[in-house]
């Protein structure tokens, strides 16, 4: 059990980066760290970001009756992320003709359907083991489609739709959580991030009453759960320095930083 | 029905692309075995069964029932059917060792090109077709025949065969995608990134928008 090297969520996405220097560096992490593992929370995070991004793109393209309309709908989502993803898809296809649009749309949707139907298992198969000792219900829910549209929404966790044992999982780390709370209480406020504040609150709640699992708590404190999972292995490899540099000592796991800035093409 | 009549019916259907109307035996691709069932002294029915173990008959559309049932053919336009059959022939030829390496390589490249056309032209393709097709397009992008072992080529034959069906079931999709993943052929498209190549992408999209504007006035 102790041999596994945990790989954090961000590296799964870095491996799919358009920047070949970064994707190659991320790929190397997967190659060189066998036996490798991921936390079930990482699967949930991937569903909530990368996979949701693909589904959003799929829907906007599907709903558009011209290339210009598709671009406008995608741009209206906000930020540059989605229109750059759209542009990258078109560039990847290469020699892509936008006319007639019905054909172009079919080609784009074909590529996205192919991705959406394989990406979940691709992520799972990227590592030797998925750690899911508390049996996260949300992480078992595979992205699905109805033949036309994909569904990506991750429901809020409530009694009737959740069967996990996250409360017991957190209770089993009572000592570690106490050490963590002590550490975060004395941390320079400039080093506290929004997630670290949420983690401190969730850890305190878990000590005093029970982990406030209902709603989206687990996703909001994913680094805490991923960190605790990583205790079962050798180390956690992550580009997320701000949180894990503060979590790993009190929680008791090794943290290896993957420096994205250094790896990117200059 | 006479042998000639049977051959004619199959040729019209577009399935036996190498059928001749006057031959006594319906020709099939070389990598198949031909079993002739003699039903009566005057009639025979040729069935096609694959030589290779992984291409189990139960997974193939090419069955006696399909050949004789016109309902499935009605769902696909004849031109589309012919196109799909040609694509199937091309990928089948990649495992034909009687062909030269150059020919087989060309067949593979032509088959790849046909996949892209398929994604654009096949109006009857639904989500299940697109999942298989999209996954194969991503897996073969920028690759040539030498990147794939024979078992992978056989898998592509199976997948292309399924794409010839007017309807593809979820279990069929599941089986194909599982094979793709198990063989580690599935390749994701690199779409993530914040900042790489942004100027080039913006320039490309601006040109496309300009094209679209000119087209629509």
């Amino acid at each position: 059990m102790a041999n596994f090297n945990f790989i954090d969520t961000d590296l799964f996405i870095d491996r799919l980066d358009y920047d070949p220097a970064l994707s190659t560096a991320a790929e190397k992490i997967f190659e060189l760290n066998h036996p490798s593992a991921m936390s079930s929370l990482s699967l949930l995070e991937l569903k909530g970001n990368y996979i949701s991004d693909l589904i959003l793109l799929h829907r906007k393209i599907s709903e558009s009756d011209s290339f210009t309309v598709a671009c406008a709908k995608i741009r209206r989502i906000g930020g540059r992320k989605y229109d750059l993803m759209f542009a990258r898809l078109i560039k990847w296809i290469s020699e892509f003709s936008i006319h007639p649009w019905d054909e172009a749309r079919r080609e784009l949707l074909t590529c996205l359907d192919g991705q959406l139907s394989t990406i979940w298992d691709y992520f799972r198969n990227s590592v030797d083991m998925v750690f899911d000792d508390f049996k996260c219900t949300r992480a078992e829910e595979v992205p699905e489609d109805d033949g036309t549209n994909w569904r990506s929404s991750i429901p809020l966790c409530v009694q009737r739709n959740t069967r996990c044992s996250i409360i017991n999982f957190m209770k089993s780390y009572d000592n570690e959580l106490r050490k963590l709370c002590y550490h975060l209480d004395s941390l320079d406020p400039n080093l506290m991030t929004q997630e670290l504040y949420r983690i401190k609150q969730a850890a305190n709640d878990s000590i005093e009453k029970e982990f406030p699992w209902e709603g989206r708590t687990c996703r909001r404190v994913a680094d805490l759960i991923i960190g605790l999972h990583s205790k079962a292995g050798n180390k956690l490899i992550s580009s997320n320095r701000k949180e894990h540099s503060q979590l790993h000592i009190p929680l008791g796991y090794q943290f290896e930083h993957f420096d994205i800035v250094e790896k990117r093409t200059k | 029905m006479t042998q000639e009549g049977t051959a004619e019916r199959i040729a019209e259907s577009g399935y036996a692309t190498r059928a001749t109307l006057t031959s006594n035996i319906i020709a099939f691709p070389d990598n198949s075995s031909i079993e002739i069932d003699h039903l009566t002294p005057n009639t025979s029915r040729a069935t096609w069964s694959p030589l290779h173990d992984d291409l189990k008959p139960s997974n193939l559309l090419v069955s006696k029932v399909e050949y004789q049932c016109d309902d499935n053919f009605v769902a696909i336009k004849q031109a589309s059917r012919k196109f799909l059959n040609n694509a199937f022939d091309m990928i089948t030829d990649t495992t034909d060792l009687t062909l030269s390496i150059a020919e087989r390589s060309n067949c593979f490249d032509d088959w790849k090109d046909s996949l892209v056309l398929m994604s654009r032209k096949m109006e009857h393709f639904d989500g299940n077709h697109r999942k298989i097709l999209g996954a194969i397009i991503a897996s073969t992008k920028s690759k040539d025949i030498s990147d794939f072992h024979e078992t992978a080529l056989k898998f592509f034959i199976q997948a292309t065969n399924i794409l010839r069906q007017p309807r593809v079931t979820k279990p069929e999709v599941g089986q194909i995608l599982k094979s793709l993943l198990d063989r580690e052929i599935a390749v994701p498209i690199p779409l993530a990134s914040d900042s790489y190549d942004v100027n080039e992408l913006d320039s490309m999209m601006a040109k496309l928008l300009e094209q679209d504007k000119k087209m629509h006035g």
Side-chain angles (χ1 to χ4, degrees), chain B residues 41 65 78 82 86-87 90 132 157 162 215:
Chain B
V65 172
Q78 191 171 15
K82 194 172 173 185
N86 284 341
M90 285 188 277
I132 295 176
I157 294 171
I162 286 180
M215 180 65 89

Side-chain angles (χ1 to χ4, degrees), chain A residues 13 16-20 50 54 66-68 71 80 83-94 96-100 103-104 106-107 109-115 117-119 121-122 125 145 147-148 150 264-265, chain B residues 116 118-123 125-135 137-139 141 170 173 177 180-182 186-198 200-202 204-205 208-209 211-213 215-216:
Chain A
I13 300 176
L16 303 179
D17 204 276
Y18 200 66
D19 180 347
Y50 192 77
L54 292 179
S66 75
F67 177 74
T68 302
C71 286
R80 294 242 47 210
D83 55 272
L84 288 175
M85 265 182 112
F86 186 37
R88 283 185 202 108
L89 177 59
I90 289 173
K91 190 171 179 207
W92 178 87
I93 289 172
S94 84
F96 178 70
S97 171
I98 58 173
H99 300 126
E103 289 186 8
R106 276 196 288 269
E107 187 175 358
L109 294 180
T110 298
C111 291
L112 289 170
D113 280 325
Q115 291 297 287
S117 58
T118 52
I119 199 79
D121 285 321
Y122 176 81
N125 294 350
D145 71 312
T148 309
W150 289 85
R264 281 203 182 279
T265 300
Chain B
V116 175
M118 230 186 263
S119 73
R120 291 181 76 95
K121 301 287 187 188
M122 297 295 114
E123 294 175 15
F125 270 13
D126 62 13
N128 285 344
H129 287 98
R130 287 198 301 267
K131 284 174 194 167
I132 295 176
L133 181 56
I137 288 174
S139 304
K141 186 82 172 166
K170 265 196 166 169
V173 174
L177 297 182
L180 203 65
L181 288 155
D182 288 347
V187 174
I189 303 173
L191 297 177
S193 186
D194 290 330
S195 54
Y196 185 75
D197 244 9
V198 172
E200 188 187 324
L201 293 171
D202 283 342
M204 177 193 77
M205 293 301 273
L208 290 173
L209 282 165
Q211 266 178 38
D212 203 31
K213 195 174 159 189
M215 180 65 89
H216 292 112

Side-chain angles (χ1 to χ4, degrees), chain A residues 55 142-146 149-152, chain B residues 170:
Chain A
I55 291 174
V142 179
E144 283 183 329
D145 71 312
D146 60 9
N149 294 313
W150 289 85
R151 283 185 295 279
S152 71
Chain B
K170 265 196 166 169

